Amino acid sequence: MAENEGELAESTTVVVIGAGPAGLTVANLLRRSGVDCVVLERRSREHVAQRQRAGIVETRAVRMFDSWGLADRVLGGVPHDGILEFRVDGESHFVFDGDGSDGPAAQLCPQQVLVQKLTVHYLADGGDLRFEAADVSLHDLSRERPTVRYRAPDGTLHALTCAFVAGCDGEHGISRASVPAGALTAHTFDQGIGWLTVLADAPPPAHPLLAVSPQGFAAHFPRGPRSSRYYLQCPPDDHPDAWPDTRVWDALRTRLGDPALASGPITDREIFRLRSLVHDPMQYGRLFLVGDAAHIVSPMGGKGMNLALYDADVLARAVRDFVHDHDDTGLRAYSRRCLRRVWNDQEFSHWLTRTVHDAGDDTDAGPFLGHLARARLDRLFSSQAAAGAFAELMTGLDPETNSVGSRKP
Ligand code: APR
């Protein structure tokens, strides 16, 4: 791409767009692999560091970081004890969601803690991370040396030529938007369910808790020693203003079947629709889409961030193999390999979403699907095989992934 007047021309191997879990993991793994990269993040470091979203790093992802020698540097929070509580009409059922081995287990690590630690480690390792990079644009993605342009906070225009672009800029980023229309297929699904999500300085539960009740679904997850995230099923077009604190705590106490539930100051409150989105393929020329830039999954099952971590691991290994061994096998298989896991986790999240919602307030689903959902719960609580399959899906471990996640890089 011809240089523009007055812009600073630079060159690197990979330009990573976005410094969320996907981008920072790609960057740390590439640096670990001796591959040169530059990360461009449009927000400030402070903004990115405080963005609270996901809360669990699944067993597979913990072992992935461990296989790169990074687990003890980038993971925070506390180990998950492998127990998930389902509370159905106030009755507790404890389901084991670990893999029963002595290997590293899932970590209850808030997303912002992971992002902060990945940032610190990357910078300490000499990584090139540029915050407040404005007006990022992608050029010549279908050629061997794409160019990424942006404007630095001091107004300087930069042009970075590279071999690959890692599009880690989330659902509303510039990466996927730079792909010509028609090159990708978007698969979408809307569950027709809304969730009010609440963050509060209130005691976390002993175990992550999913509650099924005739009044609707509710959940209570830990987000640190004195912080909790709650979810309450609501109409998809509902508004946070319709949920004052008293209504939130009353609904939680009713649906969780816990009249003595401790409350606390609510620090965040928003409503979103449960929906899914998958773009196929996850690549265009030298652009590789990673994490939310490629796919969105409903929070049921905690797979959003973990899919981003999976994609990042697959891409980093593929780029490393190409750069050091001129082996493009991983690059050619990237999209197929990631989409296999994406659809697996989409199916799991869909199954769990339908089960815990239809088994409760079956107004929308109808009594027949309500009975099917109750039967799925009954099977989960009574069949060892069903519980084993559930645990495998929660850990993210499966024959294919085990071979990737545990293999030394
Ligand atoms: N230029 C540079 N950076 C951008 C641009 C852009 N045009 N657009 C977005 N970004 C940045 C955002 O500011 C954000 O920091 O890209 C990053 C994308 O991060 P995430 O949205 O967190 O996506 P990802 O890294 O894939 O992680 C997925 O994050 O949103 C949660 O629930 C989601 O847990 C999941 C995880």
Side-chain angles (χ1 to χ4, degrees):
M1 183 84 185
E3 283 179 29
N4 289 346
E5 189 64 31
E7 68 183 11
L8 182 60
E10 300 175 79
S11 176
T12 186
T13 305
V14 182
V15 174
V16 178
I17 302 177
L24 289 167
T25 299
V26 168
N28 272 283
L29 302 190
L30 287 176
R31 188 136 188 90
R32 204 101 176 137
S33 305
V35 175
D36 198 30
C37 65
V38 174
V39 182
L40 301 179
E41 166 55 53
R42 77 172 165 191
R43 307 300 296 261
S44 69
R45 180 172 180 177
E46 296 67 31
H47 177 89
V48 174
Q50 54 73 39
R51 201 168 39 204
Q52 311 212 30
R53 294 261 183 65
I56 185 163
V57 178
E58 68 184 7
T59 303
R60 182 207 57 78
V62 170
R63 293 183 188 177
M64 179 274 287
F65 281 122
D66 192 48
S67 70
W68 285 91
L70 287 173
D72 57 351
R73 301 185 189 167
V74 302
L75 293 176
V78 295
H80 172 44
D81 63 3
I83 304 292
L84 181 64
E85 180 182 354
F86 284 82
R87 202 174 288 169
V88 182
D89 301 338
E91 186 182 339
S92 289
H93 302 265
F94 296 95
V95 175
F96 179 66
D97 65 2
D99 78 318
S101 77
D102 297 332
Q107 195 89 352
L108 295 174
C109 174
Q111 179 166 324
Q112 72 274 20
V113 171
L114 177 64
V115 165
Q116 289 163 20
K117 285 176 169 287
L118 283 166
T119 302
V120 168
H121 185 266
Y122 181 67
L123 293 172
D125 206 21
D128 187 340
L129 172 49
R130 305 180 189 183
F131 290 101
E132 298 178 86
D135 306 330
V136 170
S137 60
L138 285 64
H139 310 272
D140 300 328
L141 292 174
S142 54
R143 300 175 66 173
E144 286 198 0
R145 294 289 294 173
T147 298
V148 178
R149 288 192 158 83
Y150 77 95
R151 184 164 43 80
D154 66 2
T156 319
L157 296 176
H158 291 247
L160 283 155
T161 56
C162 56
F164 301 106
V165 181
C168 307
D169 45 353
E171 182 184 5
H172 306 295
I174 186 65
S175 300
R176 200 183 64 243
S178 302
V179 176
L184 308 180
T185 302
H187 303 282
T188 63
F189 185 82
D190 186 321
Q191 294 283 0
I193 296 172
W195 269 7
L196 169 76
T197 177
V198 168
L199 206 56
D201 297 335
H207 307 290
L209 166 59
L210 302 178
V212 172
S213 84
Q215 293 78 26
F217 171 76
H220 183 189
F221 295 135
R223 280 295 183 274
R226 283 171 298 284
S227 180
S228 289
R229 180 168 290 282
Y230 305 88
Y231 293 114
L232 280 166
Q233 177 183 354
C234 65
D237 54 1
D238 207 345
H239 195 279
D241 294 348
W243 288 86
D245 291 14
T246 45
R247 186 183 177 200
V248 169
W249 295 114
D250 288 348
L252 284 169
R253 289 183 177 116
T254 303
R255 299 187 195 182
L256 296 177
D258 181 358
L261 176 74
S263 61
I266 291 178
T267 54
D268 186 43
R269 182 191 332 238
E270 65 174 302
I271 285 179
F272 61 92
R273 300 178 74 100
L274 298 191
R275 61 193 177 85
S276 288
L277 174 62
V278 178
H279 288 90
D280 181 354
M282 292 172 45
Q283 173 190 359
Y284 175 76
R286 290 298 181 105
L287 168 67
F288 291 84
L289 299 175
V290 186
D292 275 16
H295 40 70
I296 296 292
V297 64
S298 95
M300 206 75 249
K303 294 303 180 183
M305 180 167 71
N306 288 296
L307 279 172
L309 301 179
Y310 179 82
D311 297 347
D313 178 47
V314 174
L315 181 59
R317 292 169 189 271
V319 170
R320 176 202 61 190
D321 293 350
F322 180 79
V323 169
H324 294 315
D325 307 325
H326 305 293
D327 174 1
D328 69 349
T329 311
L331 290 173
R332 286 186 289 107
Y334 171 77
S335 183
R336 176 182 54 75
R337 185 163 221 167
C338 290
L339 285 172
R340 177 174 181 267
R341 167 163 292 277
V342 165
W343 285 115
N344 181 68
D345 286 7
Q346 288 283 1
E347 193 286 328
F348 172 56
S349 177
H350 181 84
W351 175 90
L352 190 53
T353 297
R354 291 316 331 171
T355 298
V356 296
H357 288 85
D358 296 352
D361 172 4
D362 64 8
T363 312
D364 293 341
F368 187 84
L369 292 181
H371 284 291
L372 292 189
R374 293 249 164 184
R376 285 200 292 271
L377 287 172
D378 181 42
R379 186 171 56 215
L380 175 62
F381 302 150
S382 57
S383 153
Q384 225 173 358
F390 179 81
E392 176 176 281
L393 287 160
M394 284 297 287
T395 61
L397 295 172
D398 63 26
E400 185 273 346
T401 310
N402 247 339
S403 64
V404 173
S406 54
R407 190 181 67 206
K408 281 291 172 210

